[in-house]
């Protein structure tokens, strides 16, 4: 039998306060688990520690009366900081078996475990300390009020430091994983969105992150005296795409952006932070996260490490973005040069590219596949560069011989592009070769049918004919929209892939917006309307 009377406090309770001198912050309490089958032990422990604080945080005492009940509580509360465990409960070694289960079966190495016993002879101190992974071993007669409170300081300090080390390790792992993830992203807009998400995730590693509101944020590029919003989460998501968000942001948030821009470094405030990035070309990117709460030194160190990696990635992504934009502009200029030679409209290739991109996404292609089609489609008529002017710009109907010459442009374009091993030019060669093939097999040059025609060729065919019919050409006037739609209804399943035609109709409003955005500044004077529909 246990002698519960041996558990006693010999002195009065001194008025000891928290190490923290500042007022209690709204932080979660330290969880203390008391495991003892004597109610008196629980009552006295609560009394002694009722006003106790450590690092500005009070205690939450969880009482259990057996090893089995304690184990269940530990499974529900893996964040318990300290366990005060009696040795003798339902069995003479119940507490020792519980310690073994906590360390080995539950895998909890953070919790500080203190064994308390009223019968030290049944579990000798030296034997227990050497055989079990505990942090202290106390005879209940030793634990006066002062010593119990002192014990709380030492165990909670230890738990806090271990938690900080684990948080640091997890944080560094997250920095590495986050950095490797964002380095894989090539689109600047997707990149900034990913950085925003990873930074928010990194902040959520903070010890008290769950205690604060859900963090939300946005990423911007500096444009003149304003900001262009590239990405946003939470309450800032509606701002994406805005080119001047001055009147849409809370004044403290906007002022924080301005301060980071002036001082050219990260800025930390009570409820938000701003990360600052500047490329070698002088382009400035900023990420603002709100509702982050008070960030400790570890949080800031992890953020600084992350931002150092992101700065390198921003530079690489910016250079790649510049290269891709230059490449795209070169493709547009080449496509427009071909169109200009055949006296076509200047923005036709841009509209075909954008409409093709839209239809590709709606058809279920990936962002990468749709982007390649968008980049390649402006070269769909590159082969016209090898067609004589007299044939290319003839305002009247072509003769059979002239039509044969005209059809050669798909082969010329294909041969010019097919030798490249670049994905965009490879796709351009396919589109150039197949965008005049018909779904029913009556197109040219090879009479391909149905899905024998590459999806990019089928999509570009729809985009090309739709835009061509809507524009004045040297051989025809622009068609009215109703007439264009009627042609597509008639040629659905004949000239055109029926599914792509359906996508055109389903997304007609967006297609018309693209045409409006890239409308021509001028139109060549129409001559006649004698060529058949679908002619190049």
């Amino acid at each position: 039998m246990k002698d519960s009377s041996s558990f006693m406090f010999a002195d009065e309770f001194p008025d000891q306060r928290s190490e923290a001198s500042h007022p209690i912050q709204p932080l979660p309490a330290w969880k203390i688990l008391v495991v003892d089958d004597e109610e008196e032990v629980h009552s006295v422990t609560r009394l002694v520690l009722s006003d106790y604080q450590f690092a500005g945080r009070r205690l939450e005492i969880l009482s259990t009366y057996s090893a089995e009940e304690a184990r269940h509580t530990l499974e529900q509360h893996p964040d318990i900081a300290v366990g005060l465990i009696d040795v003798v409960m339902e069995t003479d070694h119940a507490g020792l078996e519980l310690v073994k289960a906590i360390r080995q079966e539950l895998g909890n190495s953070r919790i500080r475990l203190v064994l308390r016993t009223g019968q030290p002879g049944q579990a000798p101190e030296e034997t227990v300390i050497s055989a079990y992974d505990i942090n202290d071993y106390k005879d209940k007669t030793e634990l006066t009020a002062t010593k119990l409170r002192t014990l709380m300081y030492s165990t909670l300090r230890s738990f806090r430091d271990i938690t900080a080390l684990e948080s640091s390790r997890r944080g560094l792992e997250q920095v590495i994983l986050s950095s490797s993830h964002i380095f894989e992203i090539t689109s600047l807009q997707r990149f900034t969105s990913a950085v925003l998400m990873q930074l928010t995730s990194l902040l959520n590693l903070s010890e008290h992150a769950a205690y604060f509101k859900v963090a939300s944020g946005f990423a911007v590029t500096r444009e003149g005296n304003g900001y262009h919003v590239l990405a946003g989460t939470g309450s800032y998501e509606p701002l994406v795409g805005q080119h001047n968000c001055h009147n849409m942001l809370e004044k403290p948030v906007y002022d924080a952006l301005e301060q980071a821009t002036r001082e050219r470094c990260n800025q930390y405030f009570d409820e938000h932070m701003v990360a600052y990035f500047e490329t070698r070309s002088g382009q400035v990117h900023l990420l603002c996260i709100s509702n982050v709460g008070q960030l400790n030194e570890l949080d800031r160190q992890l953020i600084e490490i992350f931002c150092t990696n992101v700065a390198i990635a921003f530079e690489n992504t910016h250079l790649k973005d510049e290269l891709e934009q230059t490449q795209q502009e070169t493709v547009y200029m080449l496509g427009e040069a071909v169109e200009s030679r055949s006296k076509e409209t200047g923005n036709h290739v841009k509209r075909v590219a954008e409409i093709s991109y839209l239809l590709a996404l709606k058809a279920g292609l990936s962002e990468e596949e749709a982007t390649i089609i968008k980049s390649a489609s402006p070269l769909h008529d590159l082969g016209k560069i090898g067609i004589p002017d007299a044939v290319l710009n003839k305002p009247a109907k072509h003769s059979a011989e002239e039509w044969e010459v005209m059809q050669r442009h798909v082969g010329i374009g294909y041969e010019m592009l097919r030798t490249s091993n670049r994905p965009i030019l490879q796709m351009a060669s396919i589109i150039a070769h197949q965008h005049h093939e018909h779904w029913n097999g009556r197109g040219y040059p090879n009479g391909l049918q149905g899905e024998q025609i590459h999806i990019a060729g089928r999509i570009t065919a729809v985009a090309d004919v739709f835009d061509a019919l809507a524009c004045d050409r040297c051989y025809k006037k622009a068609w009215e929209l109703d007439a264009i739609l009627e042609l597509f209804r008639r040629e659905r399943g004949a000239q055109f892939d029926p599914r792509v035609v359906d996508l055109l109709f389903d997304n007609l409003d967006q297609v018309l917006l693209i045409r409006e955005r890239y409308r021509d500044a001028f139109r060549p004077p129409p001559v006649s309307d004698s060529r058949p529909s679908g002619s190049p």
Side-chain angles (χ1 to χ4, degrees):
M1 293 290 293
K2 295 191 297 177
D3 181 11
S4 62
S5 63
S6 64
F7 183 65
M8 58 184 294
F9 293 93
D11 56 359
E12 295 296 322
F13 307 146
D15 185 18
Q16 293 175 294
R17 298 297 177 185
S18 164
E19 287 185 337
S21 59
H22 52 75
I24 297 176
Q25 299 297 314
L27 297 173
W30 304 103
K31 293 181 181 179
I32 310 299
L33 178 65
V34 179
V35 189
D36 203 298
D37 58 358
E38 296 290 338
E39 180 60 44
E40 181 186 0
V41 174
H42 295 273
S43 299
V44 174
T45 302
R46 288 180 181 276
L47 180 61
V48 172
L49 301 177
S50 60
D51 64 343
Y52 184 90
Q53 295 179 37
F54 175 74
R57 298 165 62 179
R58 62 182 181 82
L59 303 185
E60 178 185 351
I61 297 177
L62 306 174
S63 292
T64 59
Y65 297 85
S66 68
E68 183 179 354
E69 184 184 358
R71 176 167 177 157
H72 180 68
T73 300
L74 283 160
E75 289 173 347
Q76 292 183 317
H77 300 273
D79 58 339
I80 290 174
V82 179
L84 302 176
I85 302 173
D86 190 12
V87 174
V88 182
M89 291 179 287
E90 61 263 49
T91 67
D92 288 349
H93 298 91
L96 299 178
E97 294 302 316
L98 176 60
V99 168
K100 186 182 296 184
I102 291 170
R103 297 303 194 203
Q104 297 179 6
E105 296 175 29
L106 298 182
N108 189 336
S109 60
R110 292 194 306 164
I111 184 174
R112 304 295 85 194
L113 297 178
V114 179
L115 283 176
R116 302 194 295 186
T117 182
Q119 303 179 54
Q122 288 190 253
E125 179 176 352
E126 184 176 351
T127 302
V128 170
I129 290 177
S130 64
Y132 295 88
D133 185 3
I134 62 174
N135 304 101
D136 210 339
Y137 185 85
K138 299 291 185 183
D139 188 326
K140 290 182 180 180
T141 58
E142 295 180 65
L143 284 177
T144 61
T146 300
K147 288 186 177 180
L148 180 59
R149 296 169 75 98
T150 301
L151 178 68
M152 285 296 102
Y153 281 119
S154 62
T155 52
L156 288 175
R157 277 198 192 100
S158 176
F159 178 80
R160 179 194 60 187
D161 294 344
I162 289 172
T163 301
L165 286 171
E166 287 197 1
S167 179
S168 176
R169 177 184 58 79
R170 292 197 311 272
L172 288 172
E173 288 176 353
Q174 183 69 27
V175 166
I176 294 169
L177 290 173
S178 299
S179 300
S180 63
H181 173 68
I182 60 177
F183 267 99
E184 296 172 358
I185 299 174
T186 55
S187 162
L188 183 60
Q189 187 166 357
R190 289 173 57 210
F191 173 80
T192 53
S193 180
V195 171
L196 185 63
M197 291 176 61
Q198 297 293 351
L199 182 56
T200 303
S201 175
L202 189 62
L203 289 171
N204 285 340
L205 289 174
S206 173
E207 181 183 354
H208 314 312
Y211 211 73
F212 297 102
K213 301 175 185 177
V214 177
S216 59
F218 60 94
V220 298
T221 294
R222 182 77 172 181
E223 290 186 345
N225 294 323
Y227 301 97
H228 175 208
V229 183
L230 295 174
T233 62
S235 59
Y236 295 107
E237 192 170 349
L239 296 181
V240 176
Q242 296 294 328
H243 281 272
N244 196 333
C245 54
H246 177 80
N247 297 323
M248 303 176 189
L249 296 173
E250 306 93 327
K251 188 176 186 303
V253 173
Y254 187 84
D255 289 344
L257 292 177
E258 291 289 278
Q259 183 171 331
T261 301
R262 283 195 307 272
E263 299 185 15
R264 303 174 69 178
C265 63
N266 298 344
Q267 299 292 322
Y268 301 93
F269 304 91
D270 289 341
E271 288 300 324
H272 52 273
M273 65 151 293
V274 177
Y276 176 90
F277 309 95
E278 183 175 354
T279 66
R280 281 179 291 182
S281 62
Q283 188 172 34
V284 172
H285 306 280
L286 302 105
L287 276 70
C288 179
I289 312 288
S290 294
N291 298 327
V292 296
Q294 294 286 345
L295 298 176
N296 58 36
E297 186 61 29
L298 173 61
D299 295 327
R300 295 192 182 194
Q301 289 175 3
L302 291 174
I303 290 168
E304 293 296 331
I305 294 171
F306 178 73
C307 288
T308 299
N309 290 346
V310 169
I312 299 170
F314 251 123
E315 184 71 40
N316 293 340
T317 304
H318 176 70
L319 291 173
K320 189 174 188 302
D321 194 58
E322 284 285 310
L323 182 62
E324 288 181 348
Q325 288 185 25
T326 301
Q327 181 186 47
Q328 187 67 62
E329 286 184 18
T330 302
V331 169
Y332 280 148
M333 291 170 65
L334 184 57
E336 287 172 2
V338 173
E339 295 297 314
S340 175
R341 178 173 177 270
S342 60
K343 299 182 180 178
E344 307 292 10
T345 54
N347 280 334
H348 171 64
V349 292
K350 290 183 180 178
R351 293 191 295 266
V352 170
E354 294 292 337
I355 295 171
S356 297
Y357 175 73
L358 171 67
L359 295 178
L361 290 177
K362 298 300 181 181
L365 275 64
S366 69
E367 172 73 26
E368 181 180 1
E369 291 170 323
T371 299
I372 289 176
I373 291 174
K374 173 185 174 180
S375 300
S377 61
L379 299 177
H380 64 280
D381 277 338
L382 180 63
K384 286 182 178 179
I385 200 169
I387 305 300
D389 286 347
V391 175
L392 187 64
N393 294 316
K394 183 178 179 179
K397 185 175 181 178
H398 288 126
S399 67
E401 293 79 9
E402 290 169 335
W403 182 238
E404 183 180 347
V405 171
M406 191 67 192
Q407 288 180 326
R408 292 174 189 166
H409 81 279
V410 297
I412 295 171
Y414 172 70
E415 290 298 329
M416 292 175 66
L417 296 164
R418 72 179 182 86
T419 56
S420 173
N421 59 4
R422 301 296 181 186
I424 291 176
L425 296 183
Q426 278 287 312
M427 180 63 72
S429 72
I430 293 171
I431 292 173
H433 206 215
Q434 297 185 13
H435 74 286
H436 283 295
E437 299 284 3
H438 291 185
W439 183 259
N440 61 9
R442 296 180 181 178
Y444 66 89
N446 294 319
L448 300 180
Q449 184 176 0
E451 294 190 1
Q452 291 178 336
I453 310 167
H454 194 286
I455 183 63
R458 287 178 267 150
I459 287 172
T460 304
V462 170
D464 181 33
V465 172
F466 180 89
D467 191 72
L469 293 176
C471 298
D472 287 336
R473 293 288 178 97
C474 65
Y475 54 86
K476 73 169 187 66
K477 294 181 180 179
W479 287 27
E480 296 294 332
L481 179 61
D482 288 345
I484 297 173
L485 298 180
E486 179 56 34
L487 178 136
F488 275 97
R489 291 188 188 98
R490 186 171 66 249
E491 294 296 330
R492 181 185 181 275
Q495 181 174 346
F496 305 111
D497 179 345
R499 179 166 172 250
V500 178
V501 172
D502 291 342
L503 293 174
L504 174 71
F505 278 82
D506 292 343
N507 299 278
L508 187 59
D509 288 347
Q510 294 183 60
V511 171
L512 296 178
L513 284 175
I514 290 171
R515 283 193 47 76
E516 177 62 24
R517 188 181 310 132
Y518 297 101
R519 64 181 182 272
D520 295 316
F522 69 95
R523 291 181 175 178
V527 177
S528 66
D529 196 6
S530 56
R531 290 194 195 177
S533 65
S535 294

